[in-house]
């Protein structure tokens, strides 16, 4: 856990988790099983089975894992390939925004959870990300363009997914619902930080000719961040909404 990039976020999540003995857990949209492995490490001896699923196995190839972790290819936009009342705990991170029928997925999570089982869905509210810099209009444009432009692999996109998660679950009335927010805040713009990595990801907007951002605007955006770092006023903030639901 010492090198775990999401260490503070994971702490905020596990404080709300509370697994029973011999827990059966699932991570929907697990990618490279980073969080699934972290749960296994955080709850030693308590997890009987840990299943991670993703729409493709391309993330699985270099993953080093062992029992009780199992990885499966599964499309979370469709009926989940699990029996009713299977899991004590279901986890998702930054996956709901890619699913077109969110109400259907909420009902599927309810179906596969045991009575009293817990779901925690963690989602960044992409339009609420903050960078500090001199050109306020440009930085605001970059953040919104990145948040609102759908990438080819996504079935759906909602840049406000973080703030919407409570409502998606609560209005269906199948869970006892609560929500909290964890902000990742950085004051250094350097390789390996969240803000630095995101600033590189933004480049796809001009590289893929989306029309949402020009190369000139991107370069000016990076100049803003470098200047803010050099002059001592750089700050980056990324809000993660943590929805917790207990199956009724």
């Amino acid at each position: 856990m010492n090198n775990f990039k999401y260490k503070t976020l994971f702490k905020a999540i596990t404080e709300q988790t509370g697994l029973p003995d011999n827990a059966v857990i699932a991570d929907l949209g697990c990618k490279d099983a980073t969080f699934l492995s972290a749960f296994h490490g955080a709850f030693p001896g308590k997890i009987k089975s840990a299943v991670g699923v993703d729409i493709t196995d391309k993330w699985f190839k270099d993953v080093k894992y062992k029992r009780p972790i199992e990885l499966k290819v599964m499309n979370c936009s469709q009926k989940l390939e699990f029996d009713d009342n299977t899991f004590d705990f279901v986890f998702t991170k930054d996956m709901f925004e890619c699913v077109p029928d969110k109400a259907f997925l909420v009902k599927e999570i309810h179906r596969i959870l045991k009575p009293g089982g817990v779901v925690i869905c963690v989602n960044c509210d992409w339009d609420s990300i903050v960078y500090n810099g001199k050109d306020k209009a440009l930085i605001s444009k970059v953040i919104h363009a990145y948040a609102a432009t759908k990438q080819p692999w996504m079935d759906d996109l909602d840049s406000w997914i973080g703030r919407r998660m409570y409502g998606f679950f609560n209005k269906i009335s199948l869970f006892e619902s609560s929500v909290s927010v964890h902000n990742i805040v950085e004051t250094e713009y350097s390789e390996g930080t969240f803000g630095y990595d995101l600033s590189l990801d933004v480049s796809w907007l001009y590289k893929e000719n989306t029309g949402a951002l020009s190369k000139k605007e991107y370069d000016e955006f990076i100049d803003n961040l470098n200047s803010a770092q050099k002059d001592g006023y750089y700050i980056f903030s990324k809000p993660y909404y943590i929805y917790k639901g207990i199956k009724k």
Side-chain angles (χ1 to χ4, degrees), residues 10-29:
F10 187 68
K11 183 177 184 293
I13 294 166
T14 54
E15 286 174 351
Q16 302 185 49
T17 304
L19 296 182
D21 290 337
N22 296 312
V24 180
I25 73 172
D27 183 347
L28 307 182

Side-chain angles (χ1 to χ4, degrees), residues 123-156:
N123 293 273
C124 175
D125 198 75
W126 298 97
D127 242 349
S128 302
I129 287 174
V130 169
Y131 282 103
N132 190 26
K134 290 184 177 180
D135 195 333
K136 181 179 177 181
L138 174 63
I139 292 172
S140 296
K141 178 180 179 178
V142 170
I143 293 302
H144 180 71
Y146 182 77
T149 305
K150 189 169 79 169
Q151 301 188 45
W153 54 270
M154 302 174 81
D155 291 331
D156 194 32

Side-chain angles (χ1 to χ4, degrees), residues 90-133:
V90 171
F91 176 75
T92 77
K93 177 185 172 294
D94 290 334
M95 184 271 285
F96 254 83
E97 65 263 41
C98 305
V99 176
D101 192 342
K102 295 170 177 57
F104 177 77
L105 181 54
V106 169
K107 292 173 184 177
E108 277 295 280
I109 290 173
H110 182 270
R111 179 183 67 79
I112 66 174
L113 274 172
K114 297 176 183 178
V118 173
V119 56
I120 289 184
C121 297
V122 179
N123 293 273
C124 175
D125 198 75
W126 298 97
D127 242 349
S128 302
I129 287 174
V130 169
Y131 282 103
N132 190 26

Side-chain angles (χ1 to χ4, degrees), residues 199-238:
S199 73
L200 299 184
D201 290 342
V202 167
S203 66
W204 83 273
L205 289 169
Y206 81 83
K207 289 179 178 178
E208 297 298 324
N209 297 313
T210 64
L213 197 71
S214 69
K215 173 69 162 57
K216 182 175 182 293
E217 287 173 321
Y218 176 76
D219 289 343
E220 290 175 353
F221 166 66
I222 297 298
D223 286 344
N224 264 254
L225 304 186
N226 283 321
S227 294
Q229 171 66 22
K230 180 181 177 181
D231 294 339
Y233 61 87
Y234 173 82
I235 194 167
F236 171 81
S237 177
K238 187 177 185 181

Side-chain angles (χ1 to χ4, degrees), residues 24 185 188-189 212 237:
V24 180
V185 179
E188 295 290 331
Y189 181 64
S237 177

